[in-house]
Amino acid sequence: MGLLTDPTAGSGKIIKFLLKRERPLCFFLYISGIVWILLLALPIFNDNTYFSENALLPGLVTKESNLAQTAKQYYIHLIHEMKRYPNVMPYAWLAAKLNQLHLDVFTHNFTLVYPFQEQQFTGQNIYGIMRAPRAASTEAIVVSVPFRPINSIYLDTAPSIALLLAFAKFCRKQKYWAKDIVFLITEHEQLGIQAWLDAYHEVTSGNEGILVSGDLPGRAGSIQTAINLELHSMKITSIDVKVEGLNGRLPNLDLFNLAQNMIAKEGIRQSFQRRFDVKYKNKFNYWWYHFNTLLMMITSQATGIPTGNHGLFHRFGIEAITLEGFEKPGQQNSNGNFYQIGRIVESIVRSLNNLLERFHQSYFFYLLPSTDTYISIGLYIRSLVLIIAGIFVKAFSIWQRLQVSTSVEDKKNTVIKQSKDDRFDIGIIMSEILWSHICGVVIATSPFPLTYFGKKVNSHTEDSIYFGFVAITILTLIWPFYSRRKMKYKNAALVCVIALVELGTVLMCIAMHNFSLALLTAVIYVPFVFVLPITPKQNLTKSRKMLSFMWVFLHPFMIASLFIMSYTYIYFFSDSLPSILFRGYRATKQAFVFSIMDSMIYGNWLYNVTVSTMFPIWFIFWNILCFNIV
């Protein structure tokens, strides 16, 4: 306790060195973290993938299926039905085909109550259950496909449904299944799978009363794994394996390895992040290619948005992946047909059928620079630890300077206790912290009042929320100048210490769930925090003005807008500048609404974390920059 209360306790050589070299040390830690990220793509930091769960018995399965002809027949009939009903799913036809296979067939109805306009949208899922002949329906495997009508803006999935029906017909004739197999066809993309999972587990994942999942008329055993199929052609030349799930969750690495192994065995090109493995002789090109793949995974995972329907299974402890198949235009590969694709699905499901327990032996936290290598959490977490360490060094240094200044003042005054003017004003400090976080909570709940007032002027939901956020951004930027507040150096320094500790703690907590989000946030914000000037009687110097100008662009809403604009430019760089700006403007409005809706429906906490934690921290530092410190 003496170290915490004695002002002279921090006067050792290490502390003096720390106070003298604080900023270079912080930037050294930051740069070390960045360098560590860059090094992760080198082969020396990558391990070859392997199977931790021997019970899968991958490669030992004797494949028996030949689904090409059956799937082709189903595909022709399905396309005919889809043309008859171009806007809806052919419920009756799908249910009839599953009934013909003597499965337990059920339909599931769900409703989406759109929160901002009080509209209702209905949907229906169809699923058939093949009961395990060698077990008591205690465990299950799900094979799912999202149905997309002909006029959908997304790529066609009719070949996936045809393969699912053909595979169900094949499975019905086999007697070796030890788990139930659920053949699920969902409507309205991720809404359908989320409603089905909520109903299956009798829970509500999002806000009450928005996605009404209803009841399921039939259930299988406890779901162990799920395979989601998105095949866009009857001639598949490559398969991309998707793993990123809701809020950055990942499936067990063994499941990813299993899929890649079975795809390779059938001679189909395999990819991750739509990138094929390339063996460059030039070491720099090799590193650069794998680093880009790694960076694509990090940015995808950071959004918290699932890359497929598989991503909604993870929160229920169900390991799931999506197999997305493509046909390369102009390439007629005799191997790229449904004979091989059917055997891939068969071998994966049969391997999963061999499992005696849930996946637990391999990694759940990893990064992938290629299809056959991985980076474990023990390696990649160090980059974030180095960056966050600089934050705590900065906070500790400011605190030590406060202790040193207090000790010097005590010696000058030759008194034991501080005078009233030298004490911390706890009321001002706590009100500053509390007020910033109250603003974050108010903004988090602002979409409802914004859309309510928008209706009064016949404004669309996107416009109401977007221009409401613009107004909030402007108000938060001009508030310190309007209030013209002053604060004593000691109070401002302690507020800064609290904000730094909170920033470091928040980043560590986020990293436990979504490392990529924490990493990108730290890379963007931390270097500007390091140069934050906190000195007594400091006016608006040139460096302080420059930092204040740059801090404006680090406003969470500004950061989001700039990212979306950059993303728009990358994909539409050939367009004119006005066209790119207009596309980015529309995309930004949609992104704000989608992030809010994702938090309400699926429980995606990107919006809530940004507004409730990162915005208050940004606001505290903004106030410190704009204060007249005396």
Side-chain angles (χ1 to χ4, degrees):
M1 291 301 293
L3 291 174
L4 298 177
T5 56
D6 184 6
T8 63
S11 58
K13 293 183 179 180
I14 297 178
I15 301 301
K16 290 180 179 179
F17 173 81
L18 185 65
L19 296 178
K20 187 178 181 180
R21 304 294 182 185
E22 167 220 328
R23 185 170 294 182
L25 178 59
C26 289
F27 276 102
F28 173 77
L29 292 171
Y30 177 82
I31 295 172
S32 299
I34 299 297
V35 171
W36 191 268
I37 298 170
L38 299 176
L39 294 176
L40 290 178
L42 291 175
I44 193 174
F45 287 91
N46 302 163
D47 292 322
N48 293 325
T49 55
Y50 61 93
F51 290 97
S52 298
E53 182 55 81
N54 294 324
L56 285 169
L57 301 177
L60 300 183
V61 175
T62 302
K63 303 165 189 175
E64 303 173 359
S65 65
N66 188 351
L67 309 181
Q69 191 61 33
T70 307
K72 185 177 180 180
Q73 294 175 358
Y74 279 127
Y75 178 74
I76 294 173
H77 295 154
L78 176 59
I79 292 296
H80 176 72
E81 289 294 319
M82 291 173 65
K83 290 180 179 179
R84 290 179 59 191
Y85 309 98
N87 298 319
V88 296
M89 186 164 69
Y91 309 107
W93 185 87
L94 291 171
K97 294 302 178 184
L98 291 173
N99 274 308
Q100 289 174 4
L101 301 178
H102 304 289
L103 304 178
D104 295 342
V105 183
F106 307 96
T107 59
H108 166 236
N109 300 304
F110 62 92
T111 304
L112 173 67
V113 181
Y114 193 71
F116 299 130
Q117 295 180 352
E118 298 180 356
Q119 293 178 327
Q120 289 190 359
F121 303 90
T122 60
Q124 191 175 67
N125 301 321
I126 295 177
Y127 62 104
I129 302 175
M130 190 199 74
R131 305 293 178 181
R134 298 181 60 184
S137 294
T138 56
E139 297 177 342
I141 302 171
V142 173
V143 181
S144 67
V145 175
F147 174 82
R148 294 169 184 169
I150 290 179
N151 57 3
S152 173
I153 62 174
Y154 301 105
L155 295 176
D156 181 29
T157 57
S160 306
I161 298 177
L163 180 65
L164 180 142
L165 294 173
F167 183 60
K169 185 176 182 179
F170 165 79
C171 293
R172 193 69 184 83
K173 300 176 183 178
Q174 312 305 318
K175 301 298 181 183
Y176 46 67
W177 300 111
K179 294 178 174 62
D180 294 345
I181 302 181
V182 181
F183 301 95
L184 172 63
I185 304 171
T186 61
E187 192 176 17
H188 300 315
E189 300 298 327
Q190 295 180 6
L191 286 174
I193 200 72
Q194 182 63 63
W196 190 83
L197 286 169
D198 282 356
Y200 197 94
H201 296 91
E202 297 181 342
V203 299
T204 301
S205 299
N207 293 3
E208 291 284 348
I210 295 181
L211 183 60
V212 182
S213 58
D215 298 320
L216 285 185
R219 283 181 173 79
S222 174
I223 301 175
Q224 306 292 300
T225 53
I227 305 296
N228 183 58
L229 302 177
E230 294 184 12
L231 309 175
H232 306 309
S233 172
M234 293 297 291
K235 281 282 187 178
I236 299 298
T237 57
S238 65
I239 294 180
D240 190 69
V241 182
K242 296 182 176 182
V243 295
E244 296 89 351
L246 182 69
N247 294 326
R249 295 193 182 190
L250 300 172
N252 189 275
L253 187 57
D254 271 347
L255 182 57
F256 174 81
N257 297 339
L258 173 64
Q260 295 288 4
N261 185 279
M262 296 305 160
I263 294 170
K265 281 183 176 295
E266 292 301 323
I268 304 294
R269 293 196 71 185
Q270 57 199 99
S271 65
F272 176 66
Q273 297 292 337
R274 299 288 302 274
R275 294 166 66 85
F276 303 104
D277 289 347
V278 179
K279 302 297 183 182
Y280 288 102
K281 292 183 179 179
N282 184 286
K283 293 183 178 180
F284 177 80
N285 292 339
Y286 181 86
W287 167 83
W288 180 248
Y289 187 85
H290 285 79
F291 176 74
N292 277 291
T293 305
L294 180 65
L295 189 61
M296 290 178 68
M297 179 182 181
I298 289 174
T299 53
S300 174
Q301 187 184 20
T303 64
I305 301 173
T307 53
N309 283 2
H310 71 280
L312 299 173
F313 284 86
H314 299 159
R315 62 150 41 108
F316 299 98
I318 302 169
E319 309 308 318
I321 57 173
T322 288
L323 304 181
E324 186 172 15
F326 300 92
E327 177 186 13
K328 185 177 181 179
Q331 179 176 341
Q332 298 296 327
N333 187 345
S334 60
N335 290 328
N337 57 47
F338 264 38
Y339 172 71
Q340 279 79 16
I341 304 303
R343 289 164 68 89
I344 291 171
V345 175
E346 177 201 359
S347 57
I348 292 175
V349 175
R350 287 188 64 179
S351 296
L352 297 175
N353 184 64
N354 294 333
L355 281 178
L356 302 177
E357 52 192 345
R358 290 183 179 272
F359 282 105
H360 67 281
Q361 294 199 43
S362 192
Y363 291 93
F364 289 92
F365 300 94
Y366 51 87
L367 294 176
L368 299 170
S370 66
T371 62
D372 57 358
T373 59
Y374 74 98
I375 305 166
S376 69
I377 186 174
L379 285 175
Y380 68 71
I381 197 66
R382 300 176 190 180
S383 59
L384 185 60
V385 170
L386 287 170
I387 296 174
I388 294 177
I391 300 176
F392 289 104
V393 169
K394 174 81 173 180
F396 182 73
S397 300
I398 297 175
W399 175 253
Q400 284 298 323
R401 287 193 180 95
L402 282 174
Q403 299 300 311
V404 171
S405 64
T406 301
S407 177
V408 170
E409 289 177 3
D410 286 347
K411 290 178 179 179
K412 287 182 178 179
N413 296 326
T414 62
V415 292
I416 298 178
K417 295 184 179 179
Q418 291 178 323
S419 64
K420 186 177 181 180
D421 292 338
D422 294 331
R423 295 175 183 173
F424 294 113
D425 194 328
I426 301 300
I428 293 177
I429 295 170
M430 295 309 298
S431 65
E432 197 65 39
I433 302 295
L434 185 61
W435 168 247
S436 299
H437 286 80
I438 289 176
C439 289
V441 174
V442 170
I443 296 173
T445 58
S446 65
F448 284 102
L450 290 177
T451 53
Y452 174 79
F453 289 111
K455 292 178 185 177
K456 301 296 184 181
V457 294
N458 297 322
S459 176
H460 294 291
T461 300
E462 291 180 359
D463 294 328
S464 300
I465 292 178
Y466 177 77
F467 290 110
F469 283 171
V470 170
I472 291 171
T473 302
I474 294 173
L475 287 174
T476 54
L477 290 175
I478 67 174
W479 167 252
F481 300 101
Y482 176 77
S483 60
R484 297 181 179 178
R485 300 175 63 187
K486 296 181 180 180
M487 182 175 284
K488 293 180 181 180
Y489 161 70
K490 289 186 177 180
N491 294 334
L494 187 54
V495 169
C496 186
V497 170
I498 295 172
L500 287 168
V501 172
E502 182 180 6
L503 175 60
T505 305
V506 166
L507 290 176
M508 288 192 297
C509 293
I510 295 175
M512 296 298 102
H513 299 275
N514 190 338
F515 165 81
S516 299
L517 177 59
L519 178 65
L520 292 182
T521 304
V523 168
I524 293 171
Y525 282 94
V526 168
F528 296 95
V529 171
F530 288 162
V531 297
L532 185 69
I534 298 292
T535 56
K537 298 181 180 180
Q538 178 172 352
N539 298 321
L540 291 178
T541 61
K542 183 179 293 187
S543 61
R544 195 179 184 90
K545 289 180 180 179
M546 180 62 69
L547 182 59
S548 299
F549 175 76
M550 299 175 68
W551 196 254
V552 170
F553 292 96
L554 294 180
H555 192 290
F557 295 143
M558 294 284 286
I559 285 286
S561 301
L562 291 174
F563 265 113
I564 296 170
M565 283 290 182
S566 302
Y567 184 85
T568 305
Y569 174 77
I570 292 172
Y571 279 86
F572 301 98
F573 65 92
S574 59
D575 292 359
S576 62
L577 181 60
S579 176
I580 293 174
L581 293 176
F582 182 71
R583 286 179 182 271
Y585 162 71
R586 292 184 57 186
T588 302
K589 292 197 301 183
Q590 294 173 356
F592 285 166
V593 175
F594 289 158
S595 64
I596 296 168
M597 291 300 300
D598 283 353
S599 68
M600 293 180 178
I601 298 173
Y602 306 110
N604 186 331
W605 40 262
L606 176 64
Y607 170 75
N608 293 327
V609 166
T610 301
V611 175
S612 301
T613 59
M614 291 310 302
F615 171 79
I617 294 172
W618 176 91
F619 198 31
I620 292 172
F621 286 123
W622 176 243
N623 287 333
I624 293 173
L625 281 170
C626 298
F627 280 153
N628 185 12
I629 301 177
V630 295

